[in-house]
């Protein structure tokens, strides 16, 4: 799937964290908390009339026997309630802000009316403490999506505010079981509390806030129970602030059927494994080909030097469900995305610059050209086309004619990877590093490694002001953020 640079190259700039991520959590949290999948936590019969209350809560991140962690959560749980509905059915979500600060909810990856996009001062006023806001829209696409705040993202999402949004296909592929893996990492202190160094200069200017404890569905990731012979559909969502995961399934051959909620022609993940940048999603078909009682590691080796076991697939003792893997089609029907017309497209170059070890010397902040030192002093060290964003409601960096195909030619001129996210649209990745991209996958967040380029194409069919930003939340807050206007 996603292109990656060679390992040696990458490790030079990835391992800046002072923490070493451990699979079990460094507290040595007693007995293994089995990462049991919640079933479908559908809310309401239709799953479509929902109330979300973000507020303080406690979460058993480190499992039974370890102290719980004070977090911020939707309806008291991390992840928040799983919202599930059928493609084409309306969703209504009433939000009541139980936090001591403003918030909003952004529906990541959904093509929706601009006023429902959840960006403070751009698409709505922020929801004040105790305030309410109703989001209402009908998701046009089936797929795996998620929701999170768009105010002080580094801290609000970093403290646990996120949840899955699943839009079901009319005819999903037949599997024995569906599981949702919401994966995250946390920076916890020795007492199990969240390290509150959000937005520090080191994280902002380097690889973002990466944690020291990885979780699966809000629990220290350790084991996932499976049965021999079963076919799983696994929905993966990376809700980490900054950690890029590359999951490798020992002894298994996951088949990718969707990325960022959009179907792909099914393929086996080779080489790099399943690469999930922050906000990235993947839908996998996984045939459990191991023997009863066996166990297989799922590792994250995005950073080779810091590879670790994310969890074990643990087979129970039950006899295999079937003797050979199912021979059923797994391809998903395409979503109703408008096809780009490349012959009549408008092309825009976008250069990503700044950060530690970068070559950016100055950038424009709030209309004024500042040197990199001054920018660093103001906590704005990243820029898009020479402009460091000082707030979200800025004049648009680009304006698009409605209905016209746009090609964004991105170039990462920094020493760090950046998962670039466009609100309100899925885009087709038409080339990478100057070569046509045969898979032409539709994404809403594309990972650009150091020095990489990519061309993205989409039809600007949805009017409004849409954010385009790095989904390493510290980078977004430190300037790597822009508004695109569709007129
Ligand atoms: Cu998950 Cu502005 O995005
Ligand atoms: Cu970035």
């Amino acid at each position: 799937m996603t292109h990656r640079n060679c390992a040696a190259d990458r490790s030079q700039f990835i391992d800046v964290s002072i923490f070493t991520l451990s699979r079990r959590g460094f507290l040595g949290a007693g007995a293994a908390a089995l990462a049991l999948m919640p079933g479908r936590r559908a809310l309401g019969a239709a799953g479509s009339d929902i109330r979300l209350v973000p507020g303080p809560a406690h979460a058993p991140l480190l499992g039974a026997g370890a102290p719980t962690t004070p977090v911020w959560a939707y309806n008291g749980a991390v992840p928040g309630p799983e919202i599930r509905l059928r493609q084409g059915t309306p969703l209504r979500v009433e939000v009541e802000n139980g936090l001591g600060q403003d918030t909003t909810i952004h529906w990541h990856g959904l093509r929706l009316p601009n006023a429902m996009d959840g960006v403070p001062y751009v698409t709505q006023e922020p929801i004040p403490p105790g305030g309410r806001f109703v989001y209402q829209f009908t998701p046009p696409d089936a797929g795996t999506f998620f929701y999170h705040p768009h105010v002080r993202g580094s801290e609000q999402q970093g403290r646990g505010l996120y949840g899955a949004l699943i839009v079901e296909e009319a005819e999903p592929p037949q599997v024995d079981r569906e599981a949702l893996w919401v994966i995250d990492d946390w920076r916890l202190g020795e007492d199990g509390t969240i390290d509150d160094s959000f937005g520090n200069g080191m994280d902002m200017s380097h690889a973002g806030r990466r944690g020291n404890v990885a979780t699966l569905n809000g629990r220290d990731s350790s084991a996932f129970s499976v049965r021999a012979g079963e076919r799983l559909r696994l929905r993966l969502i990376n809700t980490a602030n900054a950690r890029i995961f590359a999951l490798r399934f020992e002894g298994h051959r996951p088949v990718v059927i969707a990325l960022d909620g959009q179907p792909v022609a099914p393929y086996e993940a080779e080489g790099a494994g399943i690469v999930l940048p922050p906000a990235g999603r993947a839908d996998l078909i996984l045939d459990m080909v191991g023997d009863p009682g066996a166990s297989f590691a799922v590792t994250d080796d995005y950073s080779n030097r810091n590879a670790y076991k994310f969890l074990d697939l643990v087979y129970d003792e039950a006899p295999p469900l079937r003797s050979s893997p199912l021979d059923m089609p797994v391809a998903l029907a395409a979503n109703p995305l408008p096809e780009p017309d490349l012959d009549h497209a408008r092309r825009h170059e976008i250069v990503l610059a700044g950060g530690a070890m970068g070559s950016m010397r100055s950038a424009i902040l709030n209309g004024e050209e500042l040197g990199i030192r001054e920018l660093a002093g103001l906590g704005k060290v990243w820029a898009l086309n020479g402009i460091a964003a000082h707030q979200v409601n800025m004049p648009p960096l680009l304006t698009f004619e409605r209905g016209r195909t746009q090609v964004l030619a991105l170039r990462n001129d920094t020493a760090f990877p950046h998962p670039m996210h466009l609100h309100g649209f899925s885009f087709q990745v038409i080339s990478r590093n100057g070569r046509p991209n045969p898979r032409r996958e539709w994404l809403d967040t594309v990972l650009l490694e150091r020095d990489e380029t990519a061309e993205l194409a989409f039809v600007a069919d949805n009017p409004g002001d849409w954010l385009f930003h790095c989904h390493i939340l510290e980078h977004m807050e430190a300037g790597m953020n822009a508004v695109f206007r569709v007129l």
Side-chain angles (χ1 to χ4, degrees):
M1 65 184 265
T2 313
H3 177 92
R4 299 167 68 199
N5 278 344
C6 78
D9 198 5
R10 200 173 47 244
S11 60
Q12 291 167 4
F13 55 93
I14 275 298
D15 300 321
V16 295
S17 170
I18 53 169
F19 294 100
T20 304
L21 189 130
S22 82
R23 178 178 68 88
R24 295 282 314 126
F26 60 178
L27 296 182
L34 213 60
L36 294 173
M37 290 307 98
R40 296 182 170 190
R41 278 187 285 163
L43 299 165
S48 58
D49 200 349
I50 288 159
R51 192 159 170 269
L52 289 179
V53 183
H58 280 79
L61 300 182
L62 297 173
T68 58
T69 300
V71 296
W72 295 350
Y74 290 113
N75 300 6
V78 178
E82 176 187 324
I83 299 175
R84 222 177 228 277
L85 71 166
R86 261 305 175 81
Q87 183 173 16
T89 59
L91 176 65
R92 180 183 189 278
V93 182
E94 186 176 339
V95 180
E96 188 185 326
N97 185 2
L99 299 167
Q101 55 183 250
D102 290 353
T103 195
T104 60
I105 297 187
H106 170 59
W107 311 93
H108 183 112
L110 274 94
R111 299 188 296 133
L112 38 58
N114 190 253
M116 298 290 111
D117 199 40
V119 181
Y121 306 112
V122 176
T123 68
Q124 68 171 91
E125 288 301 308
I127 313 169
R132 286 164 196 271
F133 191 87
V134 176
Y135 293 93
Q136 260 179 308
F137 52 87
T138 301
D141 300 329
T144 303
F145 303 95
F146 77 118
Y147 57 92
H148 63 76
H150 225 293
V151 176
R152 299 165 55 103
S154 170
E155 177 164 20
Q156 290 196 8
Q157 192 177 327
R159 288 193 187 273
L161 288 169
Y162 52 76
L165 196 166
I166 308 296
V167 185
E168 296 180 338
E169 299 89 10
E171 293 185 38
Q174 289 193 32
V175 295
D176 299 302
R177 188 157 66 99
E178 188 177 309
L180 173 64
W181 287 11
V182 179
I183 62 181
D184 193 4
D185 72 339
W186 304 73
R187 189 179 290 178
L188 301 183
E190 305 225 359
D191 57 355
T193 61
I194 294 175
D195 178 309
D196 63 7
S197 60
F198 290 99
N200 68 72
M202 177 74 177
D203 289 342
M204 306 279 261
S205 59
H206 290 73
R209 177 184 171 98
R210 288 175 303 149
N212 49 6
V213 171
T215 55
L216 170 65
N217 299 330
R219 294 289 178 102
D220 180 21
S221 61
S222 55
F224 178 72
S225 305
V226 298
R227 175 161 182 197
E230 70 176 341
R231 170 169 282 185
L232 283 181
R233 176 181 186 167
L234 210 51
R235 298 178 186 263
L236 305 179
I237 307 176
N238 179 0
T239 58
N241 282 28
R243 179 170 296 272
I244 301 164
F245 290 86
L247 296 184
R248 221 179 268 284
F249 291 72
E250 179 196 37
H252 294 75
R253 306 170 78 165
V255 171
V256 180
I257 58 170
L259 293 171
D260 285 2
Q262 299 296 347
V264 294
Y267 66 93
E268 269 184 33
E270 67 296 320
I274 312 289
V275 179
L276 284 180
R281 287 95 64 214
D283 285 46
L284 311 178
I285 296 291
L286 196 53
D287 285 317
M288 306 317 304
V289 294
D291 295 329
S295 132
F296 295 86
V298 177
T299 53
D300 168 15
D301 63 359
Y302 178 76
S303 168
N304 288 55
R305 200 134 58 84
N306 285 336
Y308 63 98
K309 184 155 75 170
F310 181 67
L311 54 68
D312 284 307
L313 296 174
V314 178
Y315 281 74
D316 64 26
E317 299 291 345
L321 208 55
R322 55 179 61 83
S323 51
S324 58
L326 271 181
D327 186 22
M328 305 274 290
V330 295
L332 299 166
N335 282 318
L337 292 162
E339 198 58 39
D341 173 5
L342 295 177
D343 293 336
H344 302 95
R346 282 260 191 271
R347 194 167 189 281
H348 314 269
E349 312 233 337
I350 299 172
V351 178
L352 288 51
M357 297 168 278
S359 57
M360 186 173 91
R361 293 285 146 259
S362 67
I364 295 178
L365 182 75
N366 202 3
E368 218 191 319
E369 176 143 11
L370 299 179
I372 187 74
R373 286 238 176 98
E374 286 167 287
L375 290 168
L378 296 165
K380 303 292 177 189
V381 293
W382 303 96
L384 295 173
N385 287 356
I387 298 177
H390 61 286
Q391 55 188 31
V392 285
N393 56 333
M394 305 221 308
L397 183 69
L398 299 173
T399 300
F400 305 144
E401 181 192 339
R402 194 195 315 187
R404 186 150 192 161
T405 295
Q406 310 295 329
V407 171
L408 306 179
L410 309 187
R411 181 158 59 85
N412 180 359
D413 209 2
T414 80
F416 293 90
H418 302 283
M420 299 305 297
H421 171 50
L422 175 61
H423 282 215
F425 301 88
S426 288
F427 48 75
Q428 200 167 33
V429 183
I430 57 175
S431 83
R432 281 188 189 267
N433 300 317
R435 285 183 300 277
N437 173 25
R439 191 159 284 139
R440 290 209 164 210
E441 66 272 22
W442 292 92
L443 301 176
D444 56 57
T445 306
V446 63
L447 179 63
L448 278 97
E449 296 287 352
R450 168 184 207 157
D451 294 329
E452 282 198 320
T453 64
E455 285 179 307
L456 321 174
F458 66 101
V459 179
D461 60 348
N462 199 350
D465 281 357
W466 302 100
L467 245 50
F468 176 72
H469 64 83
C470 179
H471 220 288
I472 290 178
L473 300 171
E474 292 71 29
H475 292 180
M476 171 175 72
E477 289 175 9
M480 199 175 267
N481 186 1
V483 169
F484 295 162
R485 177 166 295 168
V486 179
L487 279 178

